Structure formats: C-alpha cells, structure tokens
Amino acid sequence: MRAMLLVNPKATTTNARTRDVLIRALGAAVELAVEETGYRGHAASLAATARSKGYDVVAVLGGDGTINETVNGLLNPVNGEAVPPLDDPSSGRPALIVIPGGSANVFARALGLPNDPVESTGVVLEALRDDRRRTVGLGQALWEGQSRYFTFCSGMGYDAEVVRAVEGLRGTGRKATPARYVNTALRHYLATDKRHPAITLTGPGILRARGLFMAIISNTSPWTYVGTRPVQPTPWASFETGLDLLGLRRMGLVSMAPVIRHILTESDALPAGRHLVQLHDEPEFTLTAERPVAFQLDGDYLGERETVTFRSTPNALQVLV
C-alpha cells in the first residue's frame, strides 16, 4: 500500500518528536512518502498530486485547516482533470488518515480518535492492518463560482468574525488555544452590532427566515471543543445525515446566556427559544446577507460574503479509522 503523509510543521501541537514517531510507525506499515506543507493551499495541491499518482492513502498530521485542504485536494478537480464520481469513493481516490495535530482537532475527535497524536497513530495503524474504513458525508459551500467542501462546520456572522480575529492573532505568532478563542469571543461580543441583523435563510421546502445575526452550519456534532468539553449547538448532526443549522435572531445577553449554557451542558436536546432558527438533515439551503458578512469553513476564515449556498454531499470520503 502506497501512502503519502502530509505534515504541517506549524500546527499547534505538532513537534519534531511526534513527527518522527509517526513517520517510523507508518513507514513500517506502508510504502510511505512524506511531504511538509509550506504555505496556505499547499496541502490541497499535495493531496491532488497523491490522487493523480494513484496513492492508496493520504495521511495528515495537522489541524482542521490542513485536513480541510487535504479533503478538498482529494475531491476537487485541479487544472481541469477528471476525478472519480463521489458516489463511488473507493474508485481511484485515496482514503484519508487523520492524526490530530492542531488546537481543537474537531474532525478527528468527531471520528472517535483520541486527541493525542501518538495514541491516534496506534488507532489508525490498527485500522490499516484490518482495512477498517468508514465512509462519511461532507458539506459543500458554493459562492461566486467557487466551491469548497467542509468536514464538520461552516458559519456566517459572529462566529466567523471570531475566527477572523483569532487568525489575526495567529498572524502575530500567538497560538490558537481554547482560552484564546474564548477570550476573543467575549471581547468581540462586546463590540458586536446587536441591533442590525443582515442574514436571510432560504431553501427548497424551507420557510424563509429573516433577521439572523449569525448562522452555524454543521455536518456533524460537536461544533467545536472548549478544552475537553464539546460544544453542541446542533446535537443531531452527523456524518450520515444532511446538514443542520442554528441561527440566532437576537444577540443580547438575556437571549444568548441560556443558549450558551445549553450547548455547553446538554448533549442530546436542541436549544429552545423563539429567537432561534433550526434545521436538521437538510440537503440544501442558502444564506443571503444585506451586506458582506464574515464567512468561515472548518475554522478557516474565507473573507466576507453576501450569498453562500450549502449542500450535503453523502458518502463523499473514505476514512481509515
């Protein structure tokens, strides 16, 4: 079995010792090529190369952003090349191995992997030995002629603004720790416009919902983690169903506090409130904003957008887990 390992040397919890252990362990099980990512978009390019050269597996040591790039490199055409149809993920497309190396590692943990990279390596080596695969669905976001898949979440509005702020801090050399996300979210909340919502939800068979300040789109649950605690605004979301959504029509403290408490402490029940807009297991919907609003995908800030369509893509990817 031929495998390509993509390593993000700048991932939050990655170090040289972890990389060496993983490389030796995988190298003993498969014919291994190792590539380090050097810039934004590099993982997608390397994954596309692995697909075109007929590799059986692409493994990733990195955070959710690197994993997202890799998934898009495996699934999206590059330079007009043909790619296997998504309804046959075993045909000509490498399977994915995920080794958590970031701060939250939401996709890896949603798959049931340990958050420790060395422990996860043991699990995926067992999956390799037994050829244990799981086929998962993905979300897809489409805007202005562009398309990108996401593994666990996307969002427009306040949550994407927080992601943008944290990315700015990372650009100054600070790490994206859970505490930094929480502190940034609190500071940003104080400066957020809580009187002029911009987003409208529409979709086939969906009642139009106006006046949203933010919308969380989920392909699985949890949405993220604060340390070891899962945050679950859409607890019914899964890789085997369509997309879920939670939208907020109010951003005041009285409205927000019960929702925050609920999504941090409840595991199965949906948050309740007339100011909430909720969808479950939907194949497609669109968010349109009266003005450009922040947009994020798998924790990666993608600029300000006015219209984004979200689609569920069932059975899109095989993961060794």
Side-chain angles (χ1 to χ4, degrees), residues 106-142:
V106 180
F107 182 56
R109 293 159 86 176
L111 289 169
L113 287 167
N115 198 34
D116 179 81
V118 176
E119 291 183 22
S120 286
T121 300
V123 173
V124 300
L125 285 173
E126 292 177 1
L128 271 169
R129 182 193 63 203
D130 300 335
D131 196 28
R132 192 172 62 229
R133 298 169 183 249
R134 178 179 179 183
T135 303
V136 301
L138 298 173
Q140 185 182 21
L142 303 99

Side-chain angles (χ1 to χ4, degrees), residues 39-298:
Y39 51 86
R40 188 166 183 161
H42 196 192
S45 175
L46 291 169
T49 298
R51 184 191 66 219
S52 65
K53 290 186 175 182
Y55 277 80
D56 303 294
V57 174
V58 172
V60 185
L61 173 60
D64 288 309
T66 306
I67 292 167
N68 178 274
E69 285 191 14
T70 302
V71 167
N72 278 275
L74 292 176
L75 270 61
N76 280 323
V78 176
N79 298 324
E81 67 168 319
V83 296
L86 287 180
D87 59 2
D88 185 10
S90 65
S91 173
R93 184 181 296 110
L96 180 69
I97 286 177
V98 176
I99 307 294
S103 57
N105 303 310
V106 180
F107 182 56
R109 293 159 86 176
L111 289 169
L113 287 167
N115 198 34
D116 179 81
V118 176
E119 291 183 22
S120 286
T121 300
V123 173
V124 300
L125 285 173
E126 292 177 1
L128 271 169
R129 182 193 63 203
D130 300 335
D131 196 28
R132 192 172 62 229
R133 298 169 183 249
R134 178 179 179 183
T135 303
V136 301
L138 298 173
Q140 185 182 21
L142 303 99
W143 71 97
E144 299 173 5
Q146 300 185 61
S147 168
R148 186 159 166 180
Y149 294 98
F150 57 97
T151 62
F152 63 94
C153 84
S154 185
M156 293 181 70
Y158 171 71
D159 78 309
E161 293 169 6
V162 173
V163 170
R164 174 174 60 192
V166 172
E167 283 199 4
L169 293 173
R170 292 183 68 181
T172 65
R174 303 180 191 180
K175 290 187 176 181
T177 63
R180 177 146 292 125
Y181 270 102
V182 172
N183 291 335
T184 302
L186 291 173
R187 288 198 305 271
H188 198 71
Y189 174 78
L190 298 175
T192 295
D193 180 358
K194 304 175 186 65
R195 301 183 61 184
H196 302 98
I199 301 170
T200 296
L201 166 69
T202 58
I206 295 172
L207 186 65
R208 180 187 296 264
R210 301 178 184 272
L212 303 181
F213 285 97
M214 65 174 286
I216 294 167
I217 300 95
S218 298
N219 185 52
T220 191
S221 186
W223 170 53
T224 189
Y225 289 85
V226 178
T228 59
R229 184 184 295 274
V231 182
Q232 302 186 88
T234 54
W236 298 350
S238 81
F239 293 124
E240 287 70 44
T241 62
L243 298 177
D244 287 24
L245 174 142
L246 176 67
L248 273 65
R249 282 189 166 119
R250 299 177 189 169
M251 288 286 289
L253 186 59
V254 172
S255 301
M256 289 282 288
V259 176
I260 294 172
R261 181 171 60 250
H262 181 99
I263 66 178
L264 286 172
T265 59
E266 299 290 336
S267 59
D268 298 323
L270 294 175
R274 289 184 297 175
H275 61 294
L276 303 180
V277 175
Q278 295 168 306
L279 298 177
H280 170 60
D281 193 15
E282 289 291 341
E284 179 178 324
F285 49 81
T286 297
L287 296 175
T288 304
E290 297 174 356
R291 57 183 182 273
V293 298
F295 169 50
Q296 66 89 9
L297 188 148
D298 278 353

